[in-house]
Amino acid sequence: MSKPQEIVPVEKSDLVGIVAELFAEGYRLVQIGCTTLPEAYELTYSFDREYRFRNLRFAVTKGEEVPSISVIYPNAFLYENEIHDLFGVVITHIAVDYRGTLYRTAVGTPFSIDNVKLTEAPKQKAAVPEEKPSAVPGEQTG
Amino acid sequence: MGWFRRSPWVLHYNATSCNGCDIELIASLTPLYDLERFGIMNTGNPKHADILAVTGSVNEKSRQVVQTLYDQMPNPKVVVAVGICATSGCVFQDCYNVLGGVDKVLPVDVYIPGCAARPEAIIDGVLKACDILEEKYAQWKKMRRQ
Amino acid sequence: MAHRNIIPFGPQHPVLPEPIHFDLVTEDERIIDAIPSISYVHRGLERLIEKRDFLDFVHVADRICGLCSFMHSLGYCQAVEEIMGIEVPERALYLRSIWAELSRVHSHLFWLGVAADAFGFESLFMQALRLREPVLDIFEETTGARVILGVCKIGGVRRDIDDDSLKGIVIRLANLKAALEELGNVFINDYSVRHRLSGVGFISRDDAYALGCVGPMARASGLEIDMRKLGYAAYKYLDVEPAVETAGDCYARCLVRVREIFHSIDLVRQAAGKIPPGPIDVKVTGAPDGEYYSRVEQPRGEVIHYVKGNGAKFLQRFRVRVPTFSNIPAMIKVLKGAEVADVPNIILTLDPCISCTER
Ligand code: SF4
């Protein structure tokens, strides 16, 4: 339908530099999102200026440290704490570090690799005709 | 519906509700539905309250709050679970952080169904709660006399 | 002598319909720091994608928040539709815009009421909520529900509104407008309202931008951020004009919302005049394979729904970033330096919606 969104893969080591550049260009931080992949976490930083939506993306493995960008964008601290609490990604030097108390959940880091069960992509045929609700294309892992 | 000798005050707490039931609870207190005509008032202070209306299911953090609020209320007291979330957990019952209905933590006297519970249902439920309150009050008085 | 105290505010507080907790560090009457603590209503619904397939998940998205229920399902559906390349029929787009704007009216009216209650103007609270009921009646007639509409689905909408009803809705909204003008006048001109709100909770344009404010909060500080300008749903065919104020205080935020109510009523009128005939949904086959960030303007600001799928019926990831989450840093900033007595006002004029924030 519309054109794909701008998602730029970056290196983790370049993150702070690129973010600082974006800040200087007058972008605002829209969100920081995290996605659990089978073996890693994928972090996405979204920015916007006058409705232009740009995303930076990189992957980190379990236990890898990620630098905080809350020195550049002060509002990043909430997102970073959230990612730390829900995913267990280690983010260093957050301006206001809650140390895992922002979200108190029944299970620790509920979105971490060990907790999330991802479904596998269906094999070959993408479009499976509608069947009974119990029939799930592809198998569920775990 | 009994004859009220008291006008009970309602304390509302949002355990993990989506807001839908809260706004309906507030709507039922405002002019169109007007729960206040029964002498029922919304209060923010647990020590003034007779009826605890809980919306939403309880989670790890809100269970303590619900428990504290309940403990702070004077006897006799009635708990009303507003909406399906408070009754059983609604679509969220499979969530990792949802314990289930309010009855996992408190003794619930009245369950109000609906997602969101309609103001009419809320009024009906709160009036039922008034009857129960009346009964509890009578029992409590008897116990005190002994 | 200044003496430091920590005053806990919330989670259960008379002015707050929802639980949020602040530790307010005060020196005498002045607040020098505010530390928010959330997760009282954290449910963890993002992980429900493991248990509900992407078609059923609309019902969960509907229940993220009661006040903007429709916008959440809209955002979610839009994201999935973008991934799957579904062309939603135009009539459905218009209907979505109509319901979205009606949601905005009812949400803002509710907010005006609660805010009035916070500064102790109870009759205004009652009036605002009384005037909100006609909007809910329209919802009930057109969707069958008052709050959780459940009318959006992937590929279109579940119900149609016939043309006569649409005309009726426009007439009823026009009548409502007269009553709302009276109510709006009280908010805008009443001495005590001004006294409580003017100059309180100021946030400058630059701060608002740097702290990532969205929605009425940003617009009250002079920033023109309104996702409706992106032209999702039927907004590309309508004249959207964001209400922008420059004062940046609680009063300006109030004004923005009052103006938006009227603008939304106008948008409904425009949409009802232009809506084309046709089908209201398309059949959906297959499953989403790809990712998309859908951005929708909610009553409280920009909301982001991120959907990622790999072709299976169960999604890989669903994430919502709601406007309140984005506004919390600004809320902290505004609270610093404020007086304790103004805290309820400040928090309420940001219109926090906690159940979306914590999901
Ligand atoms: S029962 Fe429905 S409306 Fe009420 S809190 Fe739960 S999800 Fe929301």
Side-chain angles (χ1 to χ4, degrees), chain B residues 57-106:
Chain B
S57 38
V58 282
N59 74 0
E60 213 37 44
K61 209 165 169 181
S62 68
R63 71 187 292 177
Q64 305 154 8
V65 183
V66 174
Q67 185 71 52
T68 327
L69 288 176
Y70 182 75
D71 292 343
Q72 284 177 343
M73 283 166 58
N75 267 322
K77 50 196 163 189
V78 176
V79 178
V80 181
V82 182
I84 289 299
C85 277
T87 305
S88 68
C90 195
V91 289
F92 305 115
Q93 53 181 317
D94 293 336
C95 289
Y96 60 85
N97 211 31
V98 170
L99 288 177
V102 181
D103 45 12
K104 293 260 157 66
V105 188
L106 301 179

Short mmCIF file of all heavy atoms in Angstrom, two decimals, chain B residues 57-106:
data_model
loop_
_atom_site.label_atom_id
_atom_site.label_comp_id
_atom_site.label_asym_id
_atom_site.label_seq_id
_atom_site.Cartn_x
_atom_site.Cartn_y
_atom_site.Cartn_z
N SER B 57 -8.91 -6.80 37.06
CA SER B 57 -8.38 -7.94 37.81
C SER B 57 -7.20 -7.47 38.65
O SER B 57 -6.68 -6.39 38.44
CB SER B 57 -7.96 -9.02 36.82
OG SER B 57 -7.37 -8.42 35.70
N VAL B 58 -6.77 -8.29 39.55
CA VAL B 58 -5.66 -7.88 40.40
C VAL B 58 -4.35 -8.38 39.83
O VAL B 58 -4.30 -9.44 39.21
CB VAL B 58 -5.82 -8.37 41.86
CG1 VAL B 58 -6.80 -7.53 42.60
CG2 VAL B 58 -6.19 -9.82 41.90
N ASN B 59 -3.31 -7.62 40.04
CA ASN B 59 -1.98 -8.08 39.63
C ASN B 59 -1.06 -8.03 40.83
O ASN B 59 -1.46 -7.71 41.95
CB ASN B 59 -1.46 -7.27 38.44
CG ASN B 59 -1.02 -5.87 38.79
OD1 ASN B 59 -1.09 -5.46 39.95
ND2 ASN B 59 -0.59 -5.12 37.81
N GLU B 60 0.18 -8.35 40.56
CA GLU B 60 1.16 -8.48 41.62
C GLU B 60 1.22 -7.25 42.51
O GLU B 60 1.29 -7.35 43.72
CB GLU B 60 2.52 -8.68 40.91
CG GLU B 60 3.52 -9.53 41.57
CD GLU B 60 2.95 -10.73 42.29
OE1 GLU B 60 2.07 -11.43 41.75
OE2 GLU B 60 3.40 -10.94 43.41
N LYS B 61 1.18 -6.10 41.90
CA LYS B 61 1.38 -4.89 42.68
C LYS B 61 0.07 -4.39 43.27
O LYS B 61 0.05 -3.87 44.38
CB LYS B 61 2.00 -3.81 41.78
CG LYS B 61 2.86 -2.83 42.55
CD LYS B 61 3.71 -2.04 41.58
CE LYS B 61 4.37 -0.86 42.29
NZ LYS B 61 5.18 -0.08 41.38
N SER B 62 -1.02 -4.53 42.54
CA SER B 62 -2.25 -3.93 43.05
C SER B 62 -2.90 -4.79 44.12
O SER B 62 -3.76 -4.32 44.84
CB SER B 62 -3.23 -3.66 41.90
OG SER B 62 -3.71 -4.85 41.37
N ARG B 63 -2.49 -6.04 44.25
CA ARG B 63 -3.14 -6.86 45.27
C ARG B 63 -2.90 -6.30 46.67
O ARG B 63 -3.80 -6.31 47.51
CB ARG B 63 -2.66 -8.31 45.19
CG ARG B 63 -1.24 -8.51 45.65
CD ARG B 63 -0.74 -9.89 45.40
NE ARG B 63 -1.42 -10.87 46.23
CZ ARG B 63 -1.17 -12.18 46.13
NH1 ARG B 63 -0.32 -12.60 45.24
NH2 ARG B 63 -1.78 -13.02 46.91
N GLN B 64 -1.69 -5.78 46.88
CA GLN B 64 -1.41 -5.20 48.20
C GLN B 64 -2.26 -3.97 48.43
O GLN B 64 -2.77 -3.75 49.52
CB GLN B 64 0.05 -4.79 48.32
CG GLN B 64 1.01 -5.88 48.03
CD GLN B 64 2.33 -5.34 47.53
OE1 GLN B 64 2.57 -4.13 47.55
NE2 GLN B 64 3.19 -6.23 47.09
N VAL B 65 -2.40 -3.16 47.36
CA VAL B 65 -3.16 -1.93 47.52
C VAL B 65 -4.61 -2.25 47.83
O VAL B 65 -5.21 -1.68 48.74
CB VAL B 65 -3.06 -1.07 46.23
CG1 VAL B 65 -3.77 0.24 46.42
CG2 VAL B 65 -1.62 -0.84 45.87
N VAL B 66 -5.17 -3.21 47.08
CA VAL B 66 -6.56 -3.59 47.31
C VAL B 66 -6.73 -4.10 48.73
O VAL B 66 -7.66 -3.73 49.45
CB VAL B 66 -6.98 -4.67 46.29
CG1 VAL B 66 -8.35 -5.18 46.59
CG2 VAL B 66 -6.94 -4.12 44.90
N GLN B 67 -5.78 -4.92 49.16
CA GLN B 67 -5.85 -5.48 50.50
C GLN B 67 -5.79 -4.37 51.55
O GLN B 67 -6.57 -4.35 52.49
CB GLN B 67 -4.68 -6.46 50.67
CG GLN B 67 -4.69 -7.22 51.97
CD GLN B 67 -5.82 -8.24 52.01
OE1 GLN B 67 -5.95 -9.05 51.10
NE2 GLN B 67 -6.67 -8.18 53.03
N THR B 68 -4.87 -3.43 51.36
CA THR B 68 -4.75 -2.34 52.34
C THR B 68 -6.02 -1.52 52.39
O THR B 68 -6.49 -1.17 53.48
CB THR B 68 -3.59 -1.39 51.94
OG1 THR B 68 -2.59 -2.15 51.33
CG2 THR B 68 -3.06 -0.65 53.12
N LEU B 69 -6.56 -1.20 51.21
CA LEU B 69 -7.77 -0.39 51.20
C LEU B 69 -8.88 -1.12 51.94
O LEU B 69 -9.61 -0.54 52.74
CB LEU B 69 -8.22 -0.12 49.76
CG LEU B 69 -7.38 0.85 48.96
CD1 LEU B 69 -7.88 0.93 47.54
CD2 LEU B 69 -7.44 2.23 49.59
N TYR B 70 -8.97 -2.42 51.69
CA TYR B 70 -10.02 -3.21 52.33
C TYR B 70 -9.84 -3.20 53.85
O TYR B 70 -10.79 -3.01 54.60
CB TYR B 70 -9.98 -4.64 51.80
CG TYR B 70 -11.05 -5.53 52.35
CD1 TYR B 70 -12.37 -5.41 51.90
CD2 TYR B 70 -10.76 -6.50 53.30
CE1 TYR B 70 -13.36 -6.24 52.39
CE2 TYR B 70 -11.75 -7.33 53.78
CZ TYR B 70 -13.04 -7.20 53.33
OH TYR B 70 -14.02 -8.01 53.83
N ASP B 71 -8.61 -3.36 54.28
CA ASP B 71 -8.36 -3.39 55.71
C ASP B 71 -8.66 -2.05 56.37
O ASP B 71 -9.04 -2.01 57.54
CB ASP B 71 -6.90 -3.77 55.99
CG ASP B 71 -6.63 -5.20 55.59
OD1 ASP B 71 -7.62 -5.94 55.43
OD2 ASP B 71 -5.45 -5.57 55.41
N GLN B 72 -8.47 -0.98 55.62
CA GLN B 72 -8.69 0.34 56.21
C GLN B 72 -10.16 0.67 56.36
O GLN B 72 -10.53 1.55 57.12
CB GLN B 72 -8.03 1.41 55.35
CG GLN B 72 -6.53 1.46 55.52
CD GLN B 72 -5.91 2.47 54.59
OE1 GLN B 72 -6.52 2.91 53.63
NE2 GLN B 72 -4.69 2.85 54.88
N MET B 73 -11.01 0.00 55.60
CA MET B 73 -12.42 0.34 55.66
C MET B 73 -13.03 -0.17 56.95
O MET B 73 -12.68 -1.23 57.45
CB MET B 73 -13.15 -0.29 54.46
CG MET B 73 -12.92 0.47 53.18
SD MET B 73 -13.42 -0.43 51.75
CE MET B 73 -15.13 -0.76 52.09
N PRO B 74 -13.96 0.62 57.53
CA PRO B 74 -14.58 0.18 58.78
C PRO B 74 -15.57 -0.96 58.53
O PRO B 74 -16.11 -1.08 57.44
CB PRO B 74 -15.30 1.44 59.27
CG PRO B 74 -15.55 2.23 58.04
CD PRO B 74 -14.44 1.93 57.10
N ASN B 75 -15.79 -1.74 59.54
CA ASN B 75 -16.78 -2.82 59.45
C ASN B 75 -18.18 -2.27 59.65
O ASN B 75 -18.33 -1.32 60.37
CB ASN B 75 -16.50 -3.86 60.52
CG ASN B 75 -15.62 -4.96 60.00
OD1 ASN B 75 -15.76 -5.36 58.85
ND2 ASN B 75 -14.69 -5.42 60.82
N PRO B 76 -19.20 -2.83 59.09
CA PRO B 76 -19.23 -3.86 58.06
C PRO B 76 -18.93 -3.28 56.69
O PRO B 76 -19.15 -2.10 56.48
CB PRO B 76 -20.67 -4.34 58.12
CG PRO B 76 -21.44 -3.15 58.57
CD PRO B 76 -20.54 -2.38 59.47
N LYS B 77 -18.44 -4.10 55.80
CA LYS B 77 -18.08 -3.61 54.47
C LYS B 77 -18.43 -4.65 53.41
O LYS B 77 -18.51 -5.84 53.70
CB LYS B 77 -16.61 -3.27 54.42
CG LYS B 77 -15.71 -4.35 54.96
CD LYS B 77 -14.33 -3.80 55.25
CE LYS B 77 -13.54 -4.73 56.15
NZ LYS B 77 -12.30 -4.14 56.61
N VAL B 78 -18.63 -4.15 52.22
CA VAL B 78 -19.06 -5.01 51.12
C VAL B 78 -18.11 -4.77 49.95
O VAL B 78 -17.71 -3.63 49.71
CB VAL B 78 -20.51 -4.67 50.72
CG1 VAL B 78 -20.94 -5.48 49.52
CG2 VAL B 78 -21.45 -4.92 51.86
N VAL B 79 -17.77 -5.83 49.25
CA VAL B 79 -16.91 -5.68 48.08
C VAL B 79 -17.72 -5.97 46.81
O VAL B 79 -18.42 -6.98 46.74
CB VAL B 79 -15.71 -6.64 48.14
CG1 VAL B 79 -14.85 -6.50 46.90
CG2 VAL B 79 -14.90 -6.37 49.38
N VAL B 80 -17.63 -5.07 45.87
CA VAL B 80 -18.32 -5.25 44.60
C VAL B 80 -17.27 -5.36 43.51
O VAL B 80 -16.38 -4.51 43.41
CB VAL B 80 -19.24 -4.04 44.31
CG1 VAL B 80 -19.97 -4.25 43.00
CG2 VAL B 80 -20.21 -3.83 45.43
N ALA B 81 -17.37 -6.41 42.71
CA ALA B 81 -16.46 -6.57 41.57
C ALA B 81 -17.16 -6.05 40.34
O ALA B 81 -18.18 -6.59 39.93
CB ALA B 81 -16.08 -8.03 41.39
N VAL B 82 -16.64 -4.97 39.76
CA VAL B 82 -17.31 -4.34 38.63
C VAL B 82 -16.65 -4.80 37.33
O VAL B 82 -15.46 -4.57 37.12
CB VAL B 82 -17.23 -2.81 38.74
CG1 VAL B 82 -17.97 -2.16 37.58
CG2 VAL B 82 -17.81 -2.34 40.06
N GLY B 83 -17.43 -5.44 36.48
CA GLY B 83 -16.91 -5.83 35.17
C GLY B 83 -16.35 -7.24 35.17
O GLY B 83 -16.09 -7.83 36.22
N ILE B 84 -16.16 -7.75 33.97
CA ILE B 84 -15.70 -9.13 33.84
C ILE B 84 -14.24 -9.26 34.29
O ILE B 84 -13.83 -10.28 34.82
CB ILE B 84 -15.89 -9.59 32.38
CG1 ILE B 84 -17.37 -9.77 32.11
CG2 ILE B 84 -15.18 -10.88 32.11
CD1 ILE B 84 -18.03 -10.80 32.97
N CYS B 85 -13.47 -8.22 34.11
CA CYS B 85 -12.08 -8.28 34.57
C CYS B 85 -12.03 -8.57 36.06
O CYS B 85 -11.26 -9.40 36.51
CB CYS B 85 -11.38 -6.96 34.33
SG CYS B 85 -10.76 -6.78 32.69
N ALA B 86 -12.84 -7.85 36.81
CA ALA B 86 -12.81 -8.03 38.25
C ALA B 86 -13.43 -9.36 38.64
O ALA B 86 -13.15 -9.90 39.71
CB ALA B 86 -13.56 -6.89 38.92
N THR B 87 -14.28 -9.89 37.77
CA THR B 87 -14.92 -11.15 38.09
C THR B 87 -13.99 -12.33 37.78
O THR B 87 -13.80 -13.21 38.61
CB THR B 87 -16.22 -11.28 37.27
OG1 THR B 87 -17.01 -10.13 37.55
CG2 THR B 87 -16.96 -12.53 37.64
N SER B 88 -13.42 -12.31 36.57
CA SER B 88 -12.63 -13.48 36.21
C SER B 88 -11.35 -13.16 35.46
O SER B 88 -10.50 -14.01 35.29
CB SER B 88 -13.47 -14.40 35.33
OG SER B 88 -13.68 -13.77 34.09
N GLY B 89 -11.19 -11.95 34.99
CA GLY B 89 -9.96 -11.63 34.27
C GLY B 89 -10.17 -11.29 32.80
O GLY B 89 -9.25 -10.87 32.14
N CYS B 90 -11.38 -11.48 32.28
CA CYS B 90 -11.69 -11.06 30.92
C CYS B 90 -10.68 -11.64 29.93
O CYS B 90 -10.16 -12.73 30.14
CB CYS B 90 -11.75 -9.53 30.86
SG CYS B 90 -12.52 -8.85 29.39
N VAL B 91 -10.39 -10.93 28.86
CA VAL B 91 -9.43 -11.45 27.88
C VAL B 91 -8.03 -11.51 28.46
O VAL B 91 -7.15 -12.10 27.87
CB VAL B 91 -9.39 -10.60 26.60
CG1 VAL B 91 -10.63 -10.78 25.79
CG2 VAL B 91 -9.15 -9.15 26.90
N PHE B 92 -7.84 -10.88 29.58
CA PHE B 92 -6.48 -10.80 30.11
C PHE B 92 -6.14 -11.95 31.03
O PHE B 92 -5.07 -11.97 31.60
CB PHE B 92 -6.30 -9.50 30.88
CG PHE B 92 -6.63 -8.30 30.07
CD1 PHE B 92 -7.68 -7.49 30.40
CD2 PHE B 92 -5.89 -8.01 28.95
CE1 PHE B 92 -7.99 -6.39 29.64
CE2 PHE B 92 -6.19 -6.91 28.17
CZ PHE B 92 -7.25 -6.10 28.52
N GLN B 93 -7.04 -12.91 31.22
CA GLN B 93 -6.76 -13.89 32.26
C GLN B 93 -5.53 -14.74 31.97
O GLN B 93 -4.96 -15.31 32.88
CB GLN B 93 -7.97 -14.75 32.54
CG GLN B 93 -8.55 -15.42 31.33
CD GLN B 93 -9.77 -16.23 31.70
OE1 GLN B 93 -9.73 -16.91 32.69
NE2 GLN B 93 -10.82 -16.14 30.93
N ASP B 94 -5.09 -14.77 30.70
CA ASP B 94 -3.89 -15.54 30.38
C ASP B 94 -2.61 -14.72 30.52
O ASP B 94 -1.53 -15.24 30.29
CB ASP B 94 -3.96 -16.06 28.94
CG ASP B 94 -5.06 -17.08 28.79
OD1 ASP B 94 -5.42 -17.69 29.81
OD2 ASP B 94 -5.55 -17.25 27.67
N CYS B 95 -2.74 -13.45 30.83
CA CYS B 95 -1.54 -12.62 30.92
C CYS B 95 -0.67 -13.06 32.08
O CYS B 95 -1.18 -13.49 33.12
CB CYS B 95 -1.92 -11.16 31.12
SG CYS B 95 -2.62 -10.41 29.69
N TYR B 96 0.62 -12.88 31.89
CA TYR B 96 1.53 -13.36 32.94
C TYR B 96 1.40 -12.58 34.23
O TYR B 96 1.74 -13.06 35.29
CB TYR B 96 2.98 -13.32 32.45
CG TYR B 96 3.46 -11.95 32.05
CD1 TYR B 96 3.97 -11.08 32.98
CD2 TYR B 96 3.40 -11.54 30.72
CE1 TYR B 96 4.40 -9.83 32.61
CE2 TYR B 96 3.83 -10.29 30.35
CZ TYR B 96 4.32 -9.44 31.30
OH TYR B 96 4.74 -8.19 30.93
N ASN B 97 0.89 -11.36 34.13
CA ASN B 97 0.89 -10.54 35.33
C ASN B 97 -0.48 -10.43 35.97
O ASN B 97 -0.66 -9.67 36.90
CB ASN B 97 1.41 -9.15 34.98
CG ASN B 97 2.13 -8.51 36.13
OD1 ASN B 97 2.72 -9.20 36.94
ND2 ASN B 97 2.04 -7.20 36.24
N VAL B 98 -1.44 -11.16 35.47
CA VAL B 98 -2.80 -11.06 36.00
C VAL B 98 -3.09 -12.27 36.86
O VAL B 98 -2.93 -13.40 36.43
CB VAL B 98 -3.80 -10.94 34.83
CG1 VAL B 98 -5.22 -11.09 35.33
CG2 VAL B 98 -3.63 -9.62 34.13
N LEU B 99 -3.49 -12.01 38.10
CA LEU B 99 -3.76 -13.12 39.00
C LEU B 99 -5.13 -13.72 38.75
O LEU B 99 -5.38 -14.87 39.03
CB LEU B 99 -3.69 -12.63 40.44
CG LEU B 99 -2.32 -12.31 41.00
CD1 LEU B 99 -2.46 -11.77 42.39
CD2 LEU B 99 -1.48 -13.56 41.02
N GLY B 100 -6.05 -12.89 38.30
CA GLY B 100 -7.42 -13.34 38.11
C GLY B 100 -8.37 -12.35 38.74
O GLY B 100 -8.01 -11.20 38.96
N GLY B 101 -9.56 -12.80 39.04
CA GLY B 101 -10.56 -11.90 39.59
C GLY B 101 -10.19 -11.39 40.96
O GLY B 101 -9.23 -11.84 41.58
N VAL B 102 -10.99 -10.42 41.44
CA VAL B 102 -10.72 -9.84 42.74
C VAL B 102 -10.91 -10.86 43.85
O VAL B 102 -10.30 -10.78 44.91
CB VAL B 102 -11.66 -8.64 42.97
CG1 VAL B 102 -11.40 -7.98 44.29
CG2 VAL B 102 -11.49 -7.64 41.86
N ASP B 103 -11.74 -11.88 43.58
CA ASP B 103 -11.99 -12.86 44.63
C ASP B 103 -10.75 -13.68 44.99
O ASP B 103 -10.75 -14.42 45.96
CB ASP B 103 -13.17 -13.77 44.27
CG ASP B 103 -13.11 -14.26 42.85
OD1 ASP B 103 -12.05 -14.07 42.23
OD2 ASP B 103 -14.11 -14.81 42.36
N LYS B 104 -9.69 -13.52 44.22
CA LYS B 104 -8.42 -14.17 44.61
C LYS B 104 -7.83 -13.50 45.84
O LYS B 104 -6.99 -14.08 46.52
CB LYS B 104 -7.41 -14.08 43.45
CG LYS B 104 -7.81 -14.89 42.25
CD LYS B 104 -7.05 -16.21 42.22
CE LYS B 104 -7.76 -17.27 41.41
NZ LYS B 104 -7.84 -16.96 40.00
N VAL B 105 -8.23 -12.26 46.09
CA VAL B 105 -7.64 -11.51 47.19
C VAL B 105 -8.66 -11.20 48.27
O VAL B 105 -8.38 -11.32 49.46
CB VAL B 105 -7.02 -10.19 46.67
CG1 VAL B 105 -6.23 -9.52 47.76
CG2 VAL B 105 -6.15 -10.45 45.47
N LEU B 106 -9.84 -10.80 47.87
CA LEU B 106 -10.84 -10.35 48.84
C LEU B 106 -12.10 -11.20 48.72
O LEU B 106 -12.38 -11.76 47.67
CB LEU B 106 -11.22 -8.89 48.57
CG LEU B 106 -10.14 -7.84 48.61
CD1 LEU B 106 -10.74 -6.49 48.29
CD2 LEU B 106 -9.48 -7.80 49.97
#
